[in-house]
Amino acid sequence: MKKILVNLALVMVLIFASACGKVGGQDVEKENVQLLLGIRNNSKAPDLKKAEEEIKSALKSQGNLGLTLIDGSPKLVKSFESPKPKAMLSPSKKQDILNTQFEEINTFIGGLRPQAPECDILKAINISADNLADRGGVKSLVIMDSGLSTTGLLDFRSADVASLKIDEIIGALQSKKAIPNLEGVDVSWYGMGQTTDPQIEPSSEYKYVLEELWTAILKEAGAKSVHIARETLEDVELDRSDFPKVSPVDCKLEESIIASLDEPMVFGQEKIKFKSDSAEL
């Protein structure tokens, strides 16, 4: 019995050690980050500065950093694990190394190009979820993408987004076992609804439904938290001439509310109506 308890204690120590790294000689929990990168014709280029904190935390804790490219056939393109820094290095030197690693990753991402036409965002999320599933420590998923999927189970090309019933979509995905496993994962999404030519910018209504749908899917997947950032991404110059085709999604431009009103405008208790082609009442 005593031998069993000793072996069990040893196993627990090994499990704990596998989920921890070393920073300044102290044990710290490993931080594992998966980056989903929408580098294609209907999505703004990723801005790595938005995920700088998560990336550096993964490198600093000797956790795993995975990069998945979102195109019509998503795949994990790179997996980084930072080596343990030498104990004798000064804090400033360690920070210099961390900054250099971040810039090297940024340069690597800048050279990535899509290989397959269209984009399957749900499949890319599933790939990243699988890569996080068996890792110990803190888990984060950072998505940099417009959210406009054009192939796979979630193809928005012909969808009337305004009439989508999110519960029915969730149910259909569940029936196909297509909901990713994001149990315990913190999710951040940047650039949702932000597009580049030839994709027109979605209307406010479309963006709202898009956010509601993806949030519902991520929560159904068990995400610990979901943050959809609304800040505008910088429109980076990028040569897309040789990018595979991505079909435009019909995002219907917004119509003027005032122009669509049949009734005259009402101010207080009075109705005011202008004469045709005149400023006179």
Side-chain angles (χ1 to χ4, degrees):
M1 182 67 180
K2 184 177 180 181
K3 184 177 181 181
I4 293 174
L5 290 175
V6 170
N7 288 338
L8 180 60
L10 180 59
V11 169
M12 294 303 294
V13 168
L14 290 173
I15 292 173
F16 176 77
S18 68
C20 295
K22 290 274 188 181
V23 175
Q26 301 295 317
D27 286 324
V28 295
E29 195 169 19
K30 286 186 178 181
E31 298 193 27
N32 304 289
V33 179
Q34 288 286 312
L35 282 181
L36 283 182
L37 305 165
I39 304 174
R40 58 176 188 277
N41 276 329
N42 76 344
S43 189
K44 284 189 174 180
D47 180 359
L48 220 59
K49 288 290 184 182
K50 304 296 183 188
E52 183 171 0
E53 182 179 347
E54 290 94 336
I55 293 170
K56 286 186 174 179
S57 292
L59 296 171
K60 191 174 182 179
S61 66
Q62 289 97 59
N64 177 264
L65 173 65
L67 309 180
T68 297
L69 186 63
I70 308 175
D71 59 11
S73 182
K75 63 180 81 60
L76 180 72
V77 294
K78 193 73 173 178
S79 182
F80 297 89
E81 290 193 6
S82 180
K84 187 188 302 183
K86 295 179 181 178
M88 299 302 292
L89 293 177
S90 67
S92 61
K93 182 61 178 176
K94 289 179 181 178
Q95 187 61 45
D96 288 343
I97 292 172
L98 195 62
N99 292 338
T100 299
Q101 289 174 327
F102 177 79
E103 290 306 322
E104 287 174 350
I105 292 168
N106 203 2
T107 300
F108 175 82
I109 290 174
L112 290 176
R113 295 293 180 268
Q115 301 300 310
E118 307 302 349
C119 56
D120 190 342
I121 300 171
L122 182 62
K123 184 176 180 179
I125 293 175
N126 269 288
I127 290 171
S128 289
D130 289 345
N131 287 328
L132 285 170
D134 295 328
R135 297 190 183 277
V138 178
K139 303 177 185 182
S140 300
L141 173 62
V142 180
I143 306 171
M144 296 187 173
D145 194 273
S146 67
L148 296 176
S149 192
T150 63
T151 192
L153 293 176
L154 289 179
D155 185 346
F156 293 124
R157 285 178 294 179
S158 57
D160 181 5
V161 169
S163 63
L164 287 180
K165 295 180 179 178
I166 293 176
D167 289 345
E168 291 182 4
I169 294 174
I170 296 292
L173 292 175
Q174 287 174 330
S175 69
K176 292 184 176 293
K177 311 298 182 188
I179 299 289
N181 175 16
L182 292 172
E183 199 68 40
V185 178
D186 293 303
V187 181
S188 299
W189 195 313
Y190 298 92
M192 184 177 290
Q194 298 182 38
T195 60
T196 58
D197 291 335
Q199 175 64 56
I200 62 171
E201 182 180 354
S203 65
S204 297
E205 180 186 20
Y206 196 105
K207 287 180 181 178
Y208 175 81
V209 178
L210 194 65
E211 181 176 323
E212 289 287 297
L213 174 58
W214 281 117
T215 299
I217 291 171
L218 294 168
K219 287 184 175 179
E220 184 64 30
K224 183 179 176 182
S225 66
V226 178
H227 171 63
I228 310 294
R230 294 188 175 89
E231 58 196 278
T232 303
L233 296 183
E234 183 181 351
D235 201 1
V236 179
E237 286 285 337
L238 191 62
D239 181 11
R240 302 167 186 263
S241 59
D242 61 345
F243 280 18
K245 179 186 176 184
V246 177
S247 302
V249 174
D250 183 8
C251 296
K252 293 187 179 65
L253 296 173
E254 291 178 298
E255 298 177 359
S256 168
I257 295 175
I258 295 175
S260 66
L261 295 177
D262 294 325
E263 288 294 313
M265 296 177 67
V266 178
F267 293 87
Q269 299 300 315
E270 299 180 0
K271 289 186 177 181
I272 300 178
K273 197 167 188 177
F274 292 95
K275 293 179 180 179
S276 179
D277 299 322
S278 170
E280 296 179 19
L281 298 173

